Amino acid sequence: MLDDFMVRAALAGVGIGATSAPLGCFVVWRRMAYFGEATAHAAVLGVALALALSSPVLPAVILASLAMASAVTLLRGHGYAMDTLLGVMAHTALAAGMVAVSLISDARLDLMAFLFGDILAVSRSDLLVIWGGGATVLGLIAWQWSNLLISTLNPDLARAAGVDPRKAEIWLTLALALVVAVAIKVVGVLLIAAMLVIPAAAARPLAKTPEEMAAGAALIGGFSALSGLYAAYILDTPAGPSIVCAASLVFVVTTTVRALKARKTPRI
């Protein structure tokens, strides 16, 4: 069954969609969309480092993503607004990574694959990395769910309950770096931020509890991967962007449903 490249692509897409979406709920709740993008852009530097040293890409990408997240955390509150700081660092990391890769011979094709993803070229070993990394991330989120949730909702209440919000943020940063590293082959660094944010945002109007939103986001992420792949196969379009477009359509539908329900609800 895994000899069929479309089956491998579908399994990879579902794995990334179901993994990144629940984590994306915390990105949405914390208003960290740009933070996810900055971490993803830093992955290009990791790719450049791996290509320069002829070393495995996955550890280098994780290290680069963690370094970016740590730098943002350390520099926060030093006279710059968070969105300004993230904008500077995200685009600097992306540009520096592309320049670094351009100086390495025969690396440009690899860079394009990492920028935009190449889900149709996913191998069995890639599936092992994606599902293994995804299971690790989901296990980490489940383990730290209560601490992450209370730290997100109210840091002061978290401290009163004996939970260190900074420690919870470190766990979230680690999970985000792992997701970026395992998803880079599927949708690329330019689109992984979209897969973190859009399914979570699409699930928000339908959920009544945080747990429902996380589960709904995972379902929407997996559905978007499968429907995007099907659209790419039928329309002969790029697979990664098609997956993101499918997620965006789901977001439009759920937002419209919420708006219609709000109109029908009688005002007292």
Side-chain angles (χ1 to χ4, degrees):
M1 182 178 68
L2 293 181
D3 292 333
D4 189 331
F5 75 96
M6 284 299 292
V7 173
R8 294 196 301 272
L11 290 174
V14 170
I16 292 301
T19 301
S20 61
L23 179 61
C25 292
F26 288 100
V27 173
V28 170
W29 292 330
R30 288 171 173 254
R31 295 178 174 86
M32 293 171 58
Y34 219 168
F35 185 84
E37 186 173 352
T39 305
H41 285 184
V44 181
L45 281 173
V47 172
L49 179 63
L51 292 174
L53 301 178
S54 299
S55 61
V57 171
L58 185 64
V61 169
I62 292 176
L63 287 176
S65 300
L66 284 174
M68 169 62 79
S70 301
V72 170
T73 302
L74 290 174
L75 292 174
R76 185 171 53 189
H78 284 68
Y80 291 99
M82 189 63 171
D83 58 344
T84 301
L85 183 63
L86 286 172
V88 170
M89 297 189 71
H91 298 301
T92 299
L94 179 61
M98 294 180 69
V99 169
V101 172
S102 70
L103 298 176
I104 304 171
S105 60
D106 301 326
R108 292 183 181 177
L109 290 177
D110 292 330
L111 177 62
M112 295 301 292
F114 285 115
L115 283 176
F116 299 102
D118 193 6
I119 190 173
L120 298 180
V122 167
S123 64
R124 294 189 179 198
S125 59
D126 291 329
L127 280 178
L128 183 62
V129 170
I130 290 170
W131 280 90
T136 302
V137 169
L138 291 178
L140 180 60
I141 293 174
W143 175 43
Q144 290 290 317
W145 178 263
S146 297
N147 293 343
L148 287 171
L149 190 59
I150 192 174
S151 299
T152 298
L153 297 176
N154 193 323
D156 293 331
L157 182 61
R159 293 188 188 93
V163 177
D164 186 357
R166 301 280 289 184
K167 188 175 181 181
E169 188 172 339
I170 291 173
W171 285 118
L172 185 63
T173 299
L174 176 60
L176 187 61
L178 284 173
V179 164
V180 169
V182 299
I184 193 173
K185 184 68 176 289
V186 176
V187 291
V189 299
L190 298 182
L191 298 176
I192 180 55
M195 288 305 294
L196 282 167
V197 174
I198 297 176
R204 196 169 194 170
L206 307 178
K208 296 181 180 179
T209 65
E211 290 78 11
E212 286 184 6
M213 181 171 166
L219 291 174
I220 291 173
F223 172 78
S224 300
L226 293 177
S227 56
L229 277 174
Y230 180 75
Y233 178 77
I234 296 297
L235 302 175
D236 193 23
T237 55
S242 298
I243 292 173
V244 175
C245 287
S248 299
L249 287 175
V250 176
F251 171 75
V252 171
V253 171
T254 59
T255 303
T256 302
V257 169
R258 180 176 63 177
L260 292 175
K261 285 184 177 180
R263 282 188 177 185
K264 292 180 179 180
T265 301
R267 295 182 180 180
I268 301 176

